[in-house]
Amino acid sequence: MLHLSARRVGSLLARRATAALSTSSARMASHDVAQAADMSQPMYWDRLDTPLPDKPFKDVLTAADKSLKQKEKGPWSQLTKEEKIALYRMSFCQTYPEMKQKTSEWKTVIGGMFIFLGFTGLVVWWQRIYVYPPHPRTFDEEWQAKQLKRMLDMRINPVEGFSAKWDYEKGQWK
Amino acid sequence: MAHPSQLGFQDAASPVMEELLHFHDHALMIVFMISTLVLYIIIAMVTTDLTNKYILDSQEIEVIWTVLPGLILILIALPSLRILYLMDEINDPHLTIKAMGHQWYWSYEYTDYEELGFDSYMIPTQDLSPGQFRLLETDHRMVVPSESPVRVLVSAEDVLHSWAVPALGVKMDAVPGRLNQTAFVASRSGVYYGQCSEICGANHSFMPIVVEAVPLEHFENWSSLMLEDA
């Protein structure tokens, strides 16, 4: 079983030599060649950044398609514009402008966002009326005014902040 | 105190707080610049039609975006450490006050010369006079002389509290059974508000701190009066 005839050894060695000459796989010194096996199925895609898919769009060609494909083997100047377009559509589903076409998805997104924001606003409004307790008396207009005056009298944040914006000589905001 | 809807720091009332303000400006400027750069890059990446699938590496830019952030960090760390050590400088306090945290009030003890001690309770909202600040006013303020280094020994009688006055750049945890020391100099006379900064129970939000910095003669008058009342 392990016993190889001279003929078979010869053919094995010959295959190995051609493999060494033609392959571009990685080879470390005195190691066997490593090859990455791509086991993916060929598929079709429309991608801006990868122009050529594994296979053409139309797999099953009608008789008309097949005859057009034959004509394509000749000089292309003899193809009409419609034929060229038909050939393109056989190989590809969308053109580049079609791929790049803008959608209206953003309108749905922004619209949905505003709907939810609006709903939240309604909930907050309802809460303000039916849930929140009454304001403490320190929120009354008169109290706020007295508080403001007291803050100015106490020179709260006089350097760059609150009291710095009040003109004490003129008695008004700067 | 902060005015309503204030976002930034209060004006500094101590030299340390001034340093912190300037450092914050410095660090925030760096943060804004980095954020602007990142936002620009994000927008550029999202709005481009170009693709490049074949970049594997680039040593030059990797070096740049490793070294440059390192330099930026040093640029932030040096001022930060400077202030950190500045805060721990040996100072010569004119006055030592003990601030003791209780549930739910502070008590202050001035025991350098005489035995002066008092409690500082928040004034409830219904007892406020018109114009007073809700949840910030106390019945007794911690009075200190302005422009004098003051040492505060902070501790607690029951649970954790924290003694904080943002305008003075001071915050120190009050730990039961432990004395924590902090110090400040009130650069200008004024009233400075703070609030308990460590959760301590139901009324944690209702035990504020009020420091009143006054010229020395006024402080002496006040302490004499307080001793008489006691």
Side-chain angles (χ1 to χ4, degrees), chain A residues 129-165:
Chain A
I129 300 170
Y130 292 102
V131 178
Y132 285 16
H135 280 310
R137 58 193 186 129
T138 56
F139 282 74
D140 298 339
E141 286 277 349
E142 208 188 310
W143 195 294
Q144 288 285 317
K146 289 204 169 117
Q147 197 169 287
L148 211 147
K149 174 145 200 332
R150 186 157 176 267
M151 282 165 74
L152 289 170
D153 290 341
M154 289 166 81
R155 304 289 195 276
I156 299 285
N157 293 334
V159 180
E160 289 179 326
F162 190 72
S163 303
K165 301 195 174 88

Side-chain angles (χ1 to χ4, degrees), chain A:
Chain A
M1 287 96 39
L2 292 172
H3 164 71
L4 289 163
S5 67
R7 185 175 56 81
R8 288 185 72 194
V9 168
S11 67
L12 269 172
L13 284 171
R15 231 182 294 157
R16 235 221 180 153
T18 48
L21 284 170
S22 62
T23 191
S24 60
S25 316
R27 175 196 268 282
M28 287 173 71
S30 83
H31 288 214
D32 283 343
V33 173
Q35 294 210 359
D38 180 2
M39 298 194 202
S40 60
Q41 298 288 358
M43 59 180 280
Y44 177 77
W45 59 73
D46 279 315
R47 279 186 65 108
L48 289 170
D49 57 4
T50 316
L52 302 175
D54 289 340
K55 64 183 183 72
F57 180 55
K58 262 199 197 172
D59 280 343
V60 180
L61 299 175
T62 64
D65 289 339
K66 283 182 187 161
S67 67
L68 192 53
K69 274 287 182 187
Q70 275 300 114
K71 192 177 174 192
E72 194 191 17
K73 291 180 183 174
W76 290 341
S77 47
Q78 287 179 359
L79 293 167
T80 66
K81 185 175 163 212
E82 293 74 22
E83 283 173 338
K84 286 178 193 172
I85 291 172
L87 282 166
Y88 181 90
R89 291 290 175 184
M90 269 190 253
S91 301
F92 302 103
C93 176
Q94 286 184 310
T95 63
Y96 261 71
E98 282 166 15
M99 274 192 260
K100 286 185 188 178
Q101 204 166 40
K102 295 187 194 301
T103 64
S104 290
E105 189 188 7
W106 68 272
K107 295 177 196 168
T108 314
V109 173
I110 300 284
M113 215 180 78
F114 281 136
I115 286 170
F116 279 111
L117 274 173
F119 177 71
T120 307
L122 284 172
V123 170
V124 170
W125 190 11
W126 179 86
Q127 278 181 324
R128 280 195 167 180
I129 300 170
Y130 292 102
V131 178
Y132 285 16
H135 280 310
R137 58 193 186 129
T138 56
F139 282 74
D140 298 339
E141 286 277 349
E142 208 188 310
W143 195 294
Q144 288 285 317
K146 289 204 169 117
Q147 197 169 287
L148 211 147
K149 174 145 200 332
R150 186 157 176 267
M151 282 165 74
L152 289 170
D153 290 341
M154 289 166 81
R155 304 289 195 276
I156 299 285
N157 293 334
V159 180
E160 289 179 326
F162 190 72
S163 303
K165 301 195 174 88
W166 178 261
D167 192 336
Y168 282 93
E169 274 123 52
K170 291 187 194 156
Q172 63 189 27
W173 292 109
K174 287 185 184 164

